Amino acid sequence: MSRTLLEQWRDMAYDESADRGQLQRFWNSYFEIEKGIYEQLLTNPDEEVKGTVKELAEKYGQEVLTMAGFLDGINDSLKEANPIETMDENTEVSLAFDKEKLYKNMVAAKADWLYELPQWEAVYSQEERKRLYKEQKESTTIRKGKKIGRNDPCPCGSGKKYKKCCGR
């Protein structure tokens, strides 16, 4: 069985045997392409761009495999996920994205070259962008609860001291 587009893309993008410099150049070039596509998508954020993988690759002047990589990256930000695991170049896909999800996912990926794109300024005010940024950062912050002391009442509600109850 031939490998899916996504498998081919991931083999190339996450190639363990590749020379580090080569991989670095690969990703730098990919990030430039990705940035260019997002600049276009964010110019009309409410327009649903759709077509086959091949048509979208042609629309953005890219290789089909590169488009598969882009579709992999944007999938979690879409209103409806594409069948990226099984798609081939003739699969119909949509780039209709959820603006808030997309912005937060760019922040989560630490992709400042994407969430700082000037096109976002027409989508969200500076205050809104700050709020979304903060919400995303806080959603991944782990907060520890207050530590229970040995002599504190047991949180199970028995009325006993913690050390004499659940703390044994």
Side-chain angles (χ1 to χ4, degrees):
M1 201 187 117
S2 64
R3 306 193 41 72
T4 66
L5 278 180
L6 192 63
E7 287 168 335
Q8 292 175 53
W9 161 259
R10 288 180 176 167
D11 285 349
M12 194 169 62
Y14 305 105
D15 184 355
E16 297 292 327
S17 65
D19 166 70
R20 278 186 73 99
Q22 217 177 333
L23 218 47
Q24 186 75 49
R25 284 189 295 280
F26 170 85
W27 279 105
N28 287 345
S29 134
Y30 174 74
F31 290 146
E32 275 308 303
I33 291 167
E34 180 186 45
K35 186 176 165 189
I37 298 175
Y38 277 123
E39 283 169 346
Q40 293 176 65
L41 285 175
L42 288 166
T43 306
N44 287 314
D46 298 314
E47 176 202 350
E48 181 184 7
V49 176
K50 60 191 214 191
T52 65
V53 177
K54 190 175 186 200
E55 287 165 350
L56 291 182
E58 284 164 7
K59 174 181 168 79
Y60 295 109
Q62 299 308 324
E63 302 281 324
V64 167
L65 270 187
T66 307
M67 201 63 221
F70 183 82
L71 287 161
D72 186 17
I74 198 174
N75 215 35
D76 291 341
S77 307
L78 298 176
K79 291 177 179 168
E80 229 167 280
N82 286 312
I84 59 169
E85 301 293 338
T86 57
M87 69 185 173
D88 62 35
E89 63 177 29
N90 300 314
T91 305
E92 282 280 334
V93 290
S94 163
L95 297 181
F97 56 91
D98 176 311
K99 294 180 285 228
E100 189 166 307
K101 252 194 221 168
L102 181 63
Y103 189 82
K104 286 181 170 182
N105 285 337
M106 287 173 169
V107 170
K110 298 184 168 63
D112 53 349
W113 65 93
L114 295 178
Y115 67 76
E116 288 175 358
L117 282 171
Q119 285 78 2
W120 278 112
E121 292 165 21
V123 180
Y124 290 124
S125 69
Q126 192 177 356
E127 288 71 42
E128 286 172 312
R129 292 195 311 274
K130 270 190 182 144
R131 177 184 61 80
L132 292 171
Y133 181 91
K134 206 172 149 205
E135 270 176 27
Q136 173 54 43
K137 288 296 190 192
E138 284 175 355
S139 74
T140 55
T141 305
I142 298 163
R143 292 195 167 75
K144 288 195 174 147
K146 188 179 162 292
K147 192 173 180 303
I148 305 159
R150 288 170 34 81
N151 292 314
D152 292 343
C154 191
C156 79
S158 66
K160 297 180 186 167
K161 284 187 177 183
Y162 179 65
K163 67 181 176 189
K164 295 268 189 212
C165 191
C166 296
R168 280 187 214 211

